[in-house]
Amino acid sequence: MISGIFHYEFLQNAFLTGMLIGILAPLLGVFIVVRRLSLIADALSHVTLSGIAASLLLEKYVTSLAGLNPLYLGMVFSVGGSLFIEKLRGVYKHYQELAIPIILSSGIGLGVIFISLANGFNTDLFSYLFGSVSAVSRTDLWVILIISVLVVAVLILLYKELFILSFDEDYAKASGIPAKSIHFIFIIMVALVIAASMRIVGILLVSSLMTLPVAASIRIAKGFKQAIFLSVLFGEISVLGGLFIAYYLNLAPGGTIVMLAVLILIFSILYKKLMINQYVQKGGTAG
């Protein structure tokens, strides 16, 4: 695959896109998990599916839109879904978690309607569902690169505020931090990253890349910054390792990436358990 990267553009696109997604998804995932919003990735990924299905439907009936990249409308739907989640969280102040399943269900329902109107699945839609290395275009790469720069810049500028909001929202508001505005920016970033990640991992698996590396990192990390570093490290190992394994074994890249992330999670759990047992044994011996 290494030699192929230098010869084939689609492999270059997949490899570079995978590197960017391996950083972005876990990076935002740490804040998502800490804020107990893990299911938001699932909700927005299904809303994105609706946008992509709508785009493919429009291409079928409007010839002037035949060259439109479905990723763009998917991003519009994803951002719209994130805004509706924020609105519903304000409506259900005491049951804010209800906003996520409401949008998730709406996304699934709308997606199914658009798919049925388009007379079922086609090759393009299938590649969005489960990911496809060959489907990643140079345009997709540039879009993801732009999103990556924006997300990293915002996280650097608002790191302190996001950190405080993630652990104590009431204290953040009392400290004068514009919690609503910052959360609004954060949720839009999540929506864009989810929409951008679907080419490699697929809509149905993108939430895994935002949560599994984070779940592995928080088992062994000794602080928040270390958890961020390990999440990104595990995310990169999952994506790049998954792409290499999928290439040589002719497997689906999305599923391979996710299963590698699952193996890393299992290893981290076992490692943590081993460390605890060793600590207990040392304590027992000392006593």
Side-chain angles (χ1 to χ4, degrees), residues 138-201:
R138 187 67 75 177
T139 303
D140 295 330
L141 174 59
W142 280 111
V143 169
I144 294 170
L145 180 60
I146 293 170
I147 291 173
S148 301
V149 172
L150 290 174
V151 169
V152 172
V154 170
L155 287 179
I156 291 173
L157 291 172
L158 299 178
Y159 174 79
K160 181 180 177 182
E161 289 80 359
L162 284 169
F163 177 82
I164 297 173
L165 275 170
S166 298
F167 286 95
D168 195 337
E169 189 168 344
D170 292 331
Y171 173 77
K173 291 178 180 178
S175 301
I177 294 174
K180 191 172 183 179
S181 299
I182 291 175
H183 189 69
F184 175 80
I185 294 170
F186 177 76
I187 203 76
I188 289 179
M189 288 195 304
V190 172
L192 291 174
V193 171
I194 288 171
S197 303
M198 68 184 67
R199 277 300 205 183
I200 290 288
V201 188

Side-chain angles (χ1 to χ4, degrees), residues 75-264:
M75 285 184 176
V76 172
F77 271 62
S78 185
V79 171
S82 68
L83 298 180
F84 274 114
I85 287 177
E86 280 304 289
K87 185 67 176 177
L88 288 172
R89 277 165 57 88
V91 173
Y92 296 99
K93 293 182 179 179
H94 300 291
Y95 306 96
Q96 292 186 349
E97 68 280 1
L98 269 177
I100 295 176
I102 289 173
I103 295 300
L104 189 151
S105 303
S106 302
I108 294 174
L110 199 58
V112 169
I113 290 173
F114 286 145
I115 291 170
S116 64
L117 290 173
N119 296 323
F121 287 87
N122 57 34
T123 305
D124 290 335
L125 189 57
F126 194 81
S127 69
Y128 280 106
L129 283 172
F130 301 103
S132 174
V133 171
S134 60
V136 182
S137 66
R138 187 67 75 177
T139 303
D140 295 330
L141 174 59
W142 280 111
V143 169
I144 294 170
L145 180 60
I146 293 170
I147 291 173
S148 301
V149 172
L150 290 174
V151 169
V152 172
V154 170
L155 287 179
I156 291 173
L157 291 172
L158 299 178
Y159 174 79
K160 181 180 177 182
E161 289 80 359
L162 284 169
F163 177 82
I164 297 173
L165 275 170
S166 298
F167 286 95
D168 195 337
E169 189 168 344
D170 292 331
Y171 173 77
K173 291 178 180 178
S175 301
I177 294 174
K180 191 172 183 179
S181 299
I182 291 175
H183 189 69
F184 175 80
I185 294 170
F186 177 76
I187 203 76
I188 289 179
M189 288 195 304
V190 172
L192 291 174
V193 171
I194 288 171
S197 303
M198 68 184 67
R199 277 300 205 183
I200 290 288
V201 188
I203 293 169
L204 300 180
L205 302 173
V206 67
S207 62
S208 304
L209 198 55
M210 279 192 155
T211 54
L212 291 176
V214 180
S217 71
I218 60 179
R219 290 298 301 165
I220 56 180
K222 296 180 180 179
F224 188 72
K225 288 185 177 180
Q226 190 179 42
I228 292 176
F229 172 77
L230 290 175
S231 295
V232 172
L233 176 63
F234 293 156
E236 285 292 337
I237 293 173
S238 299
V239 173
L240 299 183
L243 287 175
F244 273 93
I245 294 171
Y247 179 82
Y248 286 111
L249 299 182
N250 195 27
L251 300 173
T256 308
I257 291 169
V258 171
M259 290 312 300
L260 190 54
V262 170
L263 290 176
I264 293 173

Side-chain angles (χ1 to χ4, degrees), residues 1 7 28 39 50 78 118 161 193:
M1 182 177 179
H7 293 91
L28 290 178
L39 288 177
S50 299
S78 185
E161 289 80 359
V193 171

Side-chain angles (χ1 to χ4, degrees), residues 13-27:
N13 296 338
F15 184 79
L16 294 173
T17 301
M19 286 184 64
L20 293 172
I21 291 171
I23 295 171
L24 288 181
L27 190 60

